[in-house]
Amino acid sequence: MSMDVMVEKDRASEPDEVPAGRRAAVLRPLGRPSPRYLIVLGAALIALLWFVQAWVFQLRHGLVVTNLSDWGTGGGVPWGLYVGSFIWWVGIAHGGIVVSAAVRLFGLDGLKPVARLAELLTLAALANAGLYIILHVGRPDRIVTSILPNLGQTIRSSPLAWDVVVITLYFVLTATYLALTIRHDLFEVRNRLPGAFAPLYRAVLVGYRPEERPKSERMAWWLALGVIVLAPLFLHGGVIPWLFALLPGQPAWFGPAQGPQFLAAALSSALAAVTILAYVFRRVYRWEEIIPDRVFDGLSRWTGLFALLYLWLQLQQVITGAAMAPDAVGSAIAAKVGSPLFWFAMTLLALTVGHSGAQALSPRLFSVGRTAAVAVLPVLAILIEKTLFVIEGLMHPAFTLYEGMPSTYTPSWVELSSVIGALAIVVLFFLGAAKALPLVELGEGER
């Protein structure tokens, strides 16, 4: 289906005016904060403050307060939870915008009610990914003094420089995409938006005219096409996994399966995260008609499908590494399958697949609450697996320079505090977004 045909089809099926009841429901979060809202806000602020004091502790004493250490001679690994969490958040970010782009590009109308939540999740996740780069280098000023001034040279040898480039590219793509899709909605409800965010609305609506909407739709469609094309070639199916997969010295990382495996992990964890967000907003703001049951059914099936693909790719790696592989590859795979945490993560993903399959085979088993609860499993599983992936790649190199130097790593309380802080940032981001923006596209539910 061409883009012009799609736009004309959408315009033909779109109601002339969004029903007042639906508009009021979509704008319900913009009202006065409820006591429950304030409690969540307070809890998120406390969690953020806990993380901030842990970060200040790291800034005062250096990375020695983490359990990261020199590779080989220090008996540890220089990359751990920080890099694992970075991959996790980048994956959720990439998966979120891919979900939204696929909705617009392929006409997945069943997921349109959660498309904007996915776009906003991408921005929050990218912010956390950038935060983890800063945490990992030890001091924020190193981004300015060591990476950016010499980006032309460091990008040839530093994975960190490529990470900065990828995050910046995706942030620009996502912010542009969101701006294109939200301008019309903000204009339509401009008289009901809170005055506290007036400068933000003026900035987003600068130069807006109602007749530009078809043009904005076409631009969003082409931007969605760009996102879909870039995802497997340059983003979470390309650059990020290639930074690991092209290193034969680390057999736990090396191999052609990393690209599709990273992409499957990103999509399954992002879809699961969107499921959790959709459930929270539906329950808190009584959005049963805005986000109906069929949305959760679709999210569950897609999450299960990509989790199954991820497990299949893991199986390929384990089989080829455990059969007659070179010694270095065999050692890396043996270490992986010998880790209880690895099997814990795989079990969580298998349960996700089983739940999705059971609901697909027997619709009477479907439950929105259970679907949201199961969505926590792949999110947690991917964080565990990606952190193990980073650690095992460093602990089991192919060369023998550090042979006999045992490596160990367990995240310190400072590193674990960063996970709490990153989650608090996402919660605060959506608490703010709920009071400032329509979180669902107006009129999408009637199509």
Side-chain angles (χ1 to χ4, degrees), residues 19-40:
R22 172 180 167 78
R23 177 171 299 189
V26 171
L27 300 181
R28 195 174 292 148
L30 299 178
R32 297 184 60 181
S34 66
R36 188 163 45 183
Y37 178 96
L38 296 176
I39 291 173
V40 176

Side-chain angles (χ1 to χ4, degrees), residues 227-246:
V227 168
I228 294 297
V229 171
L230 285 173
L233 298 178
F234 187 70
L235 300 170
H236 215 66
V239 171
I240 301 293
W242 289 341
L243 295 176
F244 297 93
L246 301 180

Side-chain angles (χ1 to χ4, degrees), residues 105-180:
L105 192 63
F106 302 125
L108 302 178
D109 290 355
L111 299 182
K112 275 188 175 179
V114 296
R116 184 161 294 160
L117 287 175
E119 295 161 20
L120 291 169
L121 176 63
T122 296
L123 293 178
L126 284 175
N128 277 338
L131 173 65
Y132 270 104
I133 290 180
I134 297 173
L135 292 173
H136 178 69
V137 299
R139 294 203 321 254
D141 59 290
R142 286 174 177 159
I143 300 294
V144 180
T145 59
S146 301
I147 297 178
L148 296 182
N150 305 302
L151 190 60
Q153 287 74 37
T154 55
I155 202 169
R156 301 174 186 174
S157 57
S158 170
L160 196 60
W162 274 104
D163 293 339
V164 172
V165 171
V166 169
I167 286 178
T168 304
L169 171 63
Y170 240 64
F171 190 88
V172 172
L173 285 174
T174 306
T176 305
Y177 187 84
L178 178 61
L180 286 172

Side-chain angles (χ1 to χ4, degrees), residues 27 29-31 189-199 201 432 434-437:
L27 300 181
L30 299 178
V189 299
R190 60 193 181 282
N191 295 328
R192 300 189 59 181
L193 296 173
F197 300 101
Y201 305 138
K435 294 301 175 189
L437 305 169

Side-chain angles (χ1 to χ4, degrees), residues 83-93 125 132 236 269 378-384 386 419 422-423:
V83 176
S85 296
F86 165 79
I87 299 173
W88 184 54
W89 282 113
V90 169
I92 290 176
Y132 270 104
H236 215 66
S269 56
V379 175
L380 178 60
I382 299 302
L383 173 61
I384 295 172
K386 287 307 169 197
V419 178
L423 293 174

Side-chain angles (χ1 to χ4, degrees), residues 203-251:
V204 176
L205 290 175
V206 62
Y208 179 80
R209 293 175 300 171
E211 56 269 27
E212 77 171 36
R213 191 181 186 192
K215 184 183 294 184
S216 298
E217 287 284 339
R218 285 195 293 273
M219 292 174 66
W221 191 93
W222 283 109
L223 198 56
L225 177 63
V227 168
I228 294 297
V229 171
L230 285 173
L233 298 178
F234 187 70
L235 300 170
H236 215 66
V239 171
I240 301 293
W242 289 341
L243 295 176
F244 297 93
L246 301 180
L247 299 176
Q250 274 75 42

